[in-house]
Each structure stands twice: as C-alpha cells, then as structure tokens.
Amino acid sequence: MAKLKGEVKIAIETCKGCELCIHECPQDTLVMSEELNQRGYHYAVVAVDNCTGCTNCALVCPDACITVYREVRGKKQPIAQISNVTEDMTITIDGRQP
Amino acid sequence: MSEVKFMKGNEALAEAAIRAGLDAYFGYPITPQSEILEYLAIHVPKRGGVVLQAESEVAAINMIYGAAGAGARVMTTTSSPGFSLMQEGISYIASAQLPCLLANIVRGGPGLGTIQPSQGDYFQAVKGGGHGDYHLIVLTPSTVQEMADFVYLGFDLADKYLTPVMILTDGALGQGMEKVTFPDYDPAKKKVAKPWATTGKSPNRSKNVITSLYLQPEKMEQINEELQAKYTKIRANEVRWEEYLTEDAEVLFTAFGLGSRIARKTIQLAREKGIKAGLFRPKTVWPFPYQRLKELAQQVDVIMDVELNAGQMIEDVRLAVEGAVPVLFHGRMGGMIPTPEEVLEKLEANLQPAQAGISQQEVAL
Amino acid sequence: MSTQQDLICEQIDNIKMAKVYERPDSLLDVRMHYCPGCGHTTTHKILMEIVDELQIKNEVIGVAPVGCSVLAYDYLDIDMQQAAHGRATAVATGIKAVQPDKYVFTYQGDGDLAAIGTAETIHSANRGENFLIVFINNGIYGMTGGQMAPTTPIGEKTATSPYGRDRATMGAPIDITGLLAQLPGTFYATRQSVHDAKAVRKAKKALTKAFQYQKLNKGLCIVEIVSNCPSGWKLTPYESNQWMIEHMMSLYPPGDVKAPSKEDLQS
C-alpha cells in the first residue's frame, strides 16, 4: 500500500524557529525559511511534498504552530481517543497505542 | 436564639467562626492559640467543613490563599512568630484581594520571646508586616465577647471589601474565660456571590485568574491605585472606637485590647482620687480613629497611652493629637502586664510637669 | 483538538484529508513568552490537549507559582491561581479542600518544588492530597537567568556555580520524584520528557492518567518532565535536548517511579 498522503500547515508568525520539527520529521519534509517572520525568526516551511501526516512535527512543536492533515482511505480514522482510565488504561493515537 | 456560654477567648473565637459559616480552617499549633485549632478539630467535622493542620504557618497562609481564591469562607490563627512567617502570604492575599480572616493571639517577643501576653505586634499588624503598599483591617477585641463578635464582623468586612481582616489580640484574652453571648447569625443570609473565584471555568464566563503579578509598571500602579481607593473607602466607613467617661475627662487614656482593660481600672482609681480621667479605645487600629482622637485632644489636658509594648500605638496617637497636648506613655514588655496602680503612679508623677507645659518629649522619655 | 466524533475532512488536491493534529482550543491563541524550543511550551500544549480531550475544561483549576511558568495563566484558558515561590502545593491543598470535585494541578519548576517549596511538596504528598503536580525539571533557574538548581548535575556550570557544581560544597542533585515515591500518600510518580514525538506521546499518556486518577481520590500524582533550558544552558534547542539526554536522563531516568497496581485502580 502506498504511503498515506499528508499535509502540514504552519503558523509562521507563531514559529520561533527552534528547528525541533525539522529534526523530528522522518521524511525530511521541512526546512527553515530563508526569510524572517515579524518577530525575526526563521520559520519552518515545507520543502518536499512527501509528508505522510505522521504528526511528529506537530507533537514536538512547543508553540503548537503546526496543523496536520492526513489522507482518509476507507473508514474514518480516529486521531486521539482516550478510554476510561479506571477500566482500561489505554490511549490510542491514530488508532494505535503510542 | 442567642446563646450564653462561659468560654476561653480562643474557644469563643473558634465557636463564632463555626457559627459564621467557616468553610475551611488551616493552621499550625503555637502557644497561646492552639485551643482554636483544637476546638475546630473537634467541632468542625461534625458540622461540615475542613480543618487542616498544616506543616507550617507558611503553608497555612498559602492554603488560605488557595481556598479563599476558590471562593470559600476561610480563617487561620496563629501567634506572633507564626504571624511573622505568614507575612509573605498576607501580602499576596492583600494584593490578590481575597477575603479571609486572620487572628494573631500575640505573645511577647521579639524572637521566640515568651508565651505570655503582649501587644508587641501592633506595628506589624498596622504598619504593614509584609512587603508592598497594603493594609489589613485590624480589629482589637478587649473582652471574650468581642473575641466572638469581631469574628462575624471580620468575615463580613472581608467579603464586603475583598480584603484580609485581622483580629489582633493577645494570650490573656485568648486564654482567659468570660461570659460570651453568641448572637443570631445566619451565614446563608450573609453569603455573597464570588464571581471572581476559581471554581472551574464555566462555559458562560471567561476564565478567572487569582494573581498578584503585573509585570508592566503601568498596570501595577493601577492595581495599587485600586487598592488605595479601597483603603480610602474603608477609612471613611469602618473606623470604630469606644469611649469611657470622656465627657468631662481632663486626662485621656488611650489603649487597645488588654491595655484598655488596665486603663479602665486605672481610670476608676484616678477618679477616686479626684482626677477626671477617661478612656479612648480604638476597636479598629487600622483604620485608626484619628479624627475623634484629634477632637478629644482639644478637650483634655494630657493623654496617657498604655500598651503592653515599648510604645507602638502611641505613634498613631501622636499623629492624631498633632502636638496639641502632651502624650505620656506607660508600657511593659516581654509578657509583663502593667498594673493599674503603676499606671496611675506614672500618671501622677508626670501630671504636674505636664500641666505646667513641659514638652511631651521630655516627659515621655 | 478534534475527536473522532467531529473529525473534520477537507478536500486538498482532490484527496479527502482529515485534520489529525491541531492546536488545542484551551491553549489560547497568544504568543507564549518561553524561549524557542523550551519544554515548558510543549508541556503547556499537551496539558491543554488533555483538558480538551477529557472535556474537563470546566472542572480544572491550575496553580502556577513563581518561575518561568508563573505566567501560565496568560496562555491556558482555564481558571488559575498564581502562587508565591514554593507554595503551589499549599495553594492547591487549599483549593482542593474547598473544591474537592475539581481537577487541581500545580505546575512547578525545580527551584520551586525542590528548593524553596520542599516542605510543602513533601507534606502535600504525605497527606495524600488528590491533586497533580506537574514538575518541570531542567536543572537550572531559567527565570532568574541561569543559576544553579537543586537538580543541577554535578560539574555543571551555571551563573552561581561558575566552576561547576561541586558536590562537597553544593550538595548532590536531588531526586524529588524518587523521594515522593517513598511516601504512602503518593499514588503515582512518573518521570517523562517532551524532547521528541515519542516522548511527547508517552508524557501525554502519563499526564492523562494522572488527571484521571484524581477521581479515584487515592493520593498525590507527580509527573516529572525532565526538560531543557536552551537559554540557560547556552545551547540550541536541539543541542539542549541532546545534552539533556546525555546529562540529565542518567540522573533522572524516564519511566514510572511508582505506579498503581490493578487493585489500586479499583475505585
């Protein structure tokens, strides 16, 4: 099965240029911009259209600048579902246990 | 129905707090006020409410901050060294404008001092104590009855002005037993809405934040101005005092709390000797009744201030009198209690030079 | 954050796309003052994700004492109290005493929790207070400009240990989470980090549990987040995380220090 298609949207004015997302991306999708934002930071931008929507960049982004989309094939996939703690202590993210 | 009991001052204070609808008490044992915590530990759980023995006075005052900020009617009590430990938290509470009742059952200091009664914490109570421009409303009971009465008053003033209110009393009134009548008081009727409290952000309001931090000086100044406006209002509305035989007084005693009881007895002795003496007793030492004392200073020949300290309230007395008449002083320190006889002796020894117009400094020193 | 029920699908380039991650609603859309790459920021974010996912926004009361995170209430859209330095757990004790049905948490740094507030911390745990301590341990005083913390590793140079932390005169790094785990009043003690996506997932899971445990009324939960301080350590955010893994995690290894048993989880 081909990799799922993903897409990220980055709030560039919120970005502080920490680069953690760049180190975290398994696809090397992201790079730092040449330009500065209004606060004077280089910000993360998409360099290659190969995102799989894994959300790693967004999870590690301290300032919550990144919104992630992922292709839906067939049934809808849950993104973060938490079951009742006292009965079953499991959290699933993207339908998997982290 | 009001109810009459024979109780220690500390117990009366505790019982009144329960009857005033105390939701939570946080405190730490220290002589001579541990009866309050002990009494509440017995009776509060039966009537519903929280009594928690904290690990320190520092923790206790911060528990008060948290619980008051969450909208509860709360109280802590301690004695002098413990009150020193609480000062940081009290400054935060005053700045965050949280209502609560504090009581300091003062003992002799400085340092670890003694467990005997004293009025040595007047400066700390009235002139600040903690950091920054703030005041507490300070109530000074002189009887076990007032130990109870001022609890109701204190809670209501705290809610009315969103400010910490303090009962400043001493070990003798805390430990001494007297008759006390508990008035009818329905806490449910006195309950005020606290829409600012952190009770969980309900969907129909914006979040509530309890804070004393304003990094921008313009904002911090504005907060200070709000506080000062509140204090101006309190000064205008909440000054309380009592007068005893002042109508014809030529000698005026000024004293608060336990000191006022010694002064009363001295006045009786003085009157037997033909000295027309009277008493001016502030019930609130902040706000201090400057205006009425200033008026009385026009009427009398001399003022004698009696305290269980080296002379603390006397500074406010002199501010009120503005040099109109000499202000004498008699005080004992370190847990010693002045007797009416020695007060009278000091008065008589000074009466002649005072009336002859010798300056107050020479007399007082 | 979206849940399964309101999963939003959009068409992007003719492909049906679902939003799988977005900024949590309860994290206010304001710029946070933290330095780039700071673990505080990430922890704020996941706390608010949890608040949104558990749908407990109306029942949460937070306490932020003095430290870098004292302004947390500017960023989190929940009721909060600012506390004096070291007194967060006392303030939380007061809140929980009069609001026992609410979720209460403190958010404290190492200076606050492990130095000036040690007494309050230990006694809150010993009383088995039913609130959550979120403990950010970055081994340095960030807010005041990089001074030594009680958790600073031996040999580490800071503004107040310019020749490196000397065990003989400055003491050894203190493991507060380990200390608290010794007390019967502590229900759950765990050490996590937020330096990469995997760690963030784990930390979020631990924090979620810790929130939910409050409903069991069985004692204090502490979630230590071993974190970075790029500015204080004078490293880039990525380098600071690598330094943290090397120097901090050997002292403060990630994982549960005290976890409730199955029986403990019965209500």
Side-chain angles (χ1 to χ4, degrees):
Chain A
M1 190 169 91
K3 278 187 175 173
L4 289 171
K5 161 105 180 113
E7 177 130 342
V8 292
K9 286 185 181 170
I10 299 166
I12 59 170
E13 288 306 329
T14 314
C15 178
K16 293 177 187 159
C18 75
E19 304 186 16
L20 294 182
C21 56
I22 291 174
H23 290 279
E24 199 58 30
C25 176
Q27 299 287 108
D28 295 329
T29 305
L30 302 169
V31 293
M32 294 309 286
S33 67
E34 293 290 323
E35 299 75 35
L36 301 174
N37 65 16
Q38 284 182 14
R39 286 272 173 169
Y41 294 114
H42 297 286
Y43 47 88
V45 288
V46 175
V48 194
D49 185 19
N50 61 353
C51 174
T52 61
C54 76
T55 72
N56 279 8
C57 58
L59 286 170
V60 83
C61 174
D63 290 274
C65 310
I66 306 176
T67 309
V68 185
Y69 298 85
R70 190 190 303 142
E71 184 183 350
V72 181
R73 287 191 196 150
K75 286 184 199 166
K76 281 183 184 177
Q77 292 174 338
I79 55 164
Q81 191 180 27
I82 297 155
S83 29
N84 190 311
V85 69
T86 53
E87 288 157 21
D88 176 16
M89 190 69 58
T90 54
I91 301 166
T92 54
I93 295 176
D94 303 335
R96 302 186 308 275
Q97 275 202 47
Chain B
M1 271 294 288
S2 57
E3 201 177 332
V4 183
K5 291 199 172 188
F6 185 64
M7 293 178 114
K8 281 187 173 187
N10 285 337
E11 292 169 345
L13 186 149
E15 177 62 29
I18 295 171
R19 290 168 185 250
L22 179 77
D23 292 315
Y25 173 93
F26 307 92
Y28 186 81
I30 181 170
T31 308
Q33 66 82 48
S34 299
E35 293 87 354
I36 300 171
L37 172 54
E38 290 164 7
Y39 188 95
L40 293 171
I42 294 168
H43 298 287
V44 167
K46 286 189 271 188
R47 308 193 199 188
V50 174
V51 174
L52 197 153
Q53 181 173 332
E55 60 271 28
S56 68
E57 286 90 349
V58 176
I61 194 68
N62 282 284
M63 291 172 187
I64 291 285
Y65 178 100
R73 181 164 261 201
V74 292
M75 176 176 85
T76 186
T77 61
T78 183
S79 182
S80 307
F83 211 72
S84 293
L85 278 175
M86 290 186 179
Q87 292 305 329
E88 178 200 39
I90 294 170
S91 172
Y92 279 64
I93 289 169
S95 180
Q97 309 203 50
L98 302 176
C100 63
L101 185 62
L102 320 165
N104 182 356
I105 319 298
V106 181
R107 55 189 259 181
L112 191 53
T114 168
I115 57 172
Q116 303 303 321
S118 163
Q119 296 184 326
D121 296 359
Y122 180 92
F123 282 155
Q124 187 191 47
V126 173
K127 308 293 179 188
H131 56 283
D133 275 325
Y134 76 91
H135 286 289
L136 309 174
I137 295 177
V138 186
L139 307 170
T140 57
S142 68
T143 58
V144 170
Q145 181 63 51
E146 282 185 341
M147 290 284 274
D149 293 346
F150 287 177
V151 169
Y152 303 97
L153 175 63
F155 275 129
D156 291 343
L157 288 176
D159 280 346
K160 183 175 176 188
Y161 293 102
L162 297 180
T163 190
V165 175
M166 175 186 183
I167 293 177
L168 178 70
T169 180
D170 64 79
L173 283 161
Q175 303 277 335
M177 294 184 84
E178 284 180 334
K179 191 181 78 172
V180 52
T181 307
F182 291 100
D184 291 332
Y185 182 98
D186 183 357
K189 282 185 189 155
K190 296 280 186 172
K191 202 157 192 143
V192 297
K194 296 178 177 174
W196 44 264
T198 58
T199 54
K201 179 191 174 304
S202 71
N204 53 11
R205 67 158 166 84
S206 54
K207 65 175 175 173
N208 284 338
V209 173
I210 305 292
T211 185
S212 62
L213 173 71
Y214 302 94
L215 289 171
Q216 288 169 324
E218 294 83 1
K219 180 68 182 166
M220 193 68 238
E221 185 180 47
Q222 186 198 326
I223 296 292
N224 267 285
E225 281 164 357
E226 279 173 27
L227 285 176
Q228 293 306 320
K230 174 165 81 178
Y231 298 144
T232 303
K233 216 162 117 189
I234 295 171
R235 283 191 191 98
N237 299 330
E238 306 300 343
V239 175
R240 288 170 168 79
W241 72 90
E242 184 194 35
E243 292 178 32
Y244 171 64
L245 302 180
T246 51
E247 296 80 8
D248 63 343
E250 292 164 0
V251 173
L252 184 69
F253 283 95
T254 53
F256 72 97
L258 185 62
S260 73
R261 296 178 67 148
I262 296 154
R264 259 173 200 271
K265 183 66 187 169
T266 311
I267 288 162
Q268 287 161 12
L269 297 177
R271 290 220 168 226
E272 282 167 20
K273 290 189 165 186
I275 303 168
K276 286 183 181 169
L279 170 69
F280 181 77
R281 171 173 82 94
K283 291 181 178 177
T284 53
V285 286
W286 197 92
F288 190 86
Y290 290 110
Q291 187 53 39
R292 178 56 188 153
L293 185 54
K294 185 180 176 179
E295 289 162 16
L296 284 170
Q298 307 305 314
Q299 168 198 319
V300 301
D301 299 327
V302 63
I303 289 175
M304 184 161 201
D305 183 64
V306 179
E307 299 183 62
L308 278 72
N309 56 37
Q312 299 193 12
M313 188 180 79
I314 192 171
E315 295 196 357
D316 282 320
V317 171
R318 284 180 172 149
L319 278 175
V321 169
E322 291 178 354
V325 288
V327 180
L328 311 176
F329 176 72
H330 183 69
R332 297 287 296 271
M333 294 166 285
M336 295 300 290
I337 300 175
T339 65
E341 290 76 15
E342 71 188 41
V343 177
L344 185 60
E345 199 179 316
K346 181 97 166 251
L347 173 72
E348 286 180 311
N350 285 290
L351 215 43
Q352 288 313 316
Q355 283 167 340
I358 293 173
S359 78
Q360 64 184 61
Q361 279 82 4
E362 284 172 65
V363 173
L365 300 173
Chain C
M1 187 158 186
S2 309
T3 58
Q4 189 177 10
Q5 285 72 31
D6 57 7
L7 191 65
I8 302 155
C9 292
E10 295 178 22
Q11 294 288 332
I12 300 174
D13 297 338
N14 290 325
I15 299 171
K16 195 178 173 193
M17 301 283 269
K19 195 186 276 180
V20 290
Y21 187 94
E22 68 177 338
R23 187 185 179 90
D25 288 341
S26 292
L27 188 67
L28 290 167
D29 195 13
V30 293
R31 197 186 164 75
M32 294 190 261
H33 74 278
Y34 300 107
C35 306
C38 176
H40 272 302
T41 338
T42 319
T43 310
H44 280 25
K45 182 186 70 169
I46 58 180
L47 276 172
M48 291 305 100
E49 287 175 15
I50 293 165
V51 163
D52 286 351
E53 286 165 13
L54 296 179
Q55 299 180 356
I56 56 172
K57 185 172 176 169
N58 302 337
E59 302 162 62
V60 173
I61 304 163
V63 182
V66 173
C68 279
S69 55
V70 68
L71 290 167
Y73 54 73
D74 279 346
Y75 314 131
L76 315 183
D77 191 23
I78 55 172
D79 277 5
M80 287 201 74
Q81 293 197 16
Q82 166 253 324
H85 198 19
R87 316 298 167 224
T89 56
V91 170
T93 298
I95 297 171
K96 192 79 182 188
V98 299
Q99 298 283 342
D101 299 330
K102 301 287 159 47
Y103 295 90
V104 177
F105 74 92
T106 67
Y107 188 100
Q108 303 174 254
D110 38 47
D112 192 84
L113 182 101
I116 193 167
T118 319
E120 286 78 3
T121 304
I122 287 181
H123 285 281
S124 296
N126 201 43
R127 286 191 300 268
E129 296 289 346
N130 284 296
F131 56 74
L132 161 66
I133 297 174
V134 182
F135 167 35
I136 306 294
N137 178 9
N138 57 10
I140 201 160
Y141 283 61
M143 190 197 211
T144 45
Q147 295 84 5
M148 184 179 70
T151 52
T152 298
I154 296 291
E156 171 65 1
K157 289 179 182 171
T158 70
T160 50
S161 58
Y163 307 109
R165 182 174 186 162
D166 171 21
R167 187 184 181 131
T169 56
M170 301 167 187
I174 187 168
D175 173 12
I176 280 279
T177 304
L179 270 172
L180 294 189
Q182 305 298 314
L183 300 172
T186 302
F187 186 65
Y188 176 48
T190 187
R191 205 179 282 118
Q192 304 290 333
S193 71
V194 292
H195 65 282
D196 63 22
K198 192 178 167 195
V200 168
R201 288 192 174 97
K202 280 188 178 171
K204 186 171 168 182
K205 185 174 172 182
L207 283 164
T208 305
K209 281 197 239 177
F211 267 106
Q212 293 176 311
Y213 287 156
Q214 280 194 44
K215 286 292 166 185
L216 298 175
N217 277 337
K218 289 199 173 174
L220 186 104
C221 295
I222 176 165
V223 178
E224 173 179 347
I225 307 286
V226 180
S227 190
N228 60 352
C229 184
S231 298
W233 298 349
K234 301 177 177 63
L235 296 169
T236 68
Y238 181 73
E239 286 166 359
S240 74
N241 280 339
Q242 299 310 305
W243 192 92
M244 178 190 85
I245 292 165
E246 200 176 321
H247 295 91
M248 293 286 285
M249 287 196 169
S250 51
L251 281 172
Y252 311 106
D256 287 351
V257 185
K258 182 178 190 178
S261 67
K262 276 224 164 70
E263 295 78 62
D264 289 337
L265 291 176
Q266 305 302 313
S267 19

